Amino acid sequence: KQKIRKVEKIMRSIIMSSSYTIINGASIVMIDGRVISGGGSCAEPKEIDKTKKIRADDITQIRVSSNNANVTISIGDRDDVEVHYHGKVYTDGDVDVDINKFGQEATINVENTSNNMYGNLQLDVIIPQKIFECISVKTVTGNVLLYRNVEAKKIKINSVNGNLVAEVCCEEIDAQSQNGIIDIFVIPKSNIEMYAKSINGSVTVDVSKFGLCTIRTSSVNGLARNEHIANGKFRASGKVSSINGMVRVH
């Protein structure tokens, strides 16, 4: 329970600090989300609130792609996949979210028609309680949060400028961020292969409920600690690393 509360606290703190900026060729000053100077034709915010869904009867894979929003994936009592795209944004173009089905894969894409965009947008993805073959999330500027009880055989999360926090059950996980922290808590239901890497951020992996742990840890300009104590029947293996941050496995 303490570990669950810890993960939820990290998630809440990341959500509270989720404002971001994507600006090309503009001189803009913002305080608390308000444009103080600059911004040109996009100085007035747009309110975004869009919900879309598709049936999930035979969906086995979910792929999410976003370049301008924080992404959360959570479990709901439902038989469809629902996306809720909401928040405020300063932009001189249009923003939208699209959800499609290709075979057994659901694809969710956040789209925009502007190069100048800044604000606070959130993409919430709610999925049924079942074991998926693969869940993949990729963002450019935005945090990624996978809430408790999300299950897939393989999970891939990637962000250029965002934090990655996950409390998941899977057989394989690949988490990479260039400029953000990575914090992963793995619920043991099978052996797991893990790969987690950050260039400019710390990486923390909690495999405390696993038995044998053969995860390699490394950091170029920070501490690297493997403090795992065997406490279970499943095996955790892989590699966890950072270039400019602390690495901890426990």
Side-chain angles (χ1 to χ4, degrees), residues 55-69:
R55 294 283 299 180
D57 296 335
D58 59 345
I59 295 294
T60 62
Q61 300 183 62
I62 296 176
R63 187 178 304 275
V64 182
S65 179
S66 170
N67 62 356
N68 59 16

Side-chain angles (χ1 to χ4, degrees), residues 54-59 99-108:
I54 60 170
R55 294 283 299 180
D57 296 335
D58 59 345
I59 295 294
I99 180 169
N100 292 290
K101 179 181 175 183
F102 298 96
Q104 295 181 309
E105 181 181 74
T107 62
I108 301 161

Side-chain angles (χ1 to χ4, degrees), residues 94-143:
D94 295 323
V95 294
D96 198 4
V97 62
D98 201 15
I99 180 169
N100 292 290
K101 179 181 175 183
F102 298 96
Q104 295 181 309
E105 181 181 74
T107 62
I108 301 161
N109 294 293
V110 171
E111 303 171 342
N112 68 80
T113 60
S114 172
N115 289 323
N116 295 333
M117 177 175 292
Y118 44 100
N120 190 337
L121 289 172
Q122 183 78 27
L123 177 64
D124 299 322
V125 181
I126 308 171
I127 62 177
Q129 176 70 72
K130 68 176 186 178
I131 301 174
F132 291 86
E133 288 293 324
C134 180
I135 295 176
S136 174
V137 183
K138 186 175 182 179
T139 72
V140 176
T141 302
N143 303 312

Side-chain angles (χ1 to χ4, degrees), residues 13 67 91:
S13 67
N67 62 356
T91 180

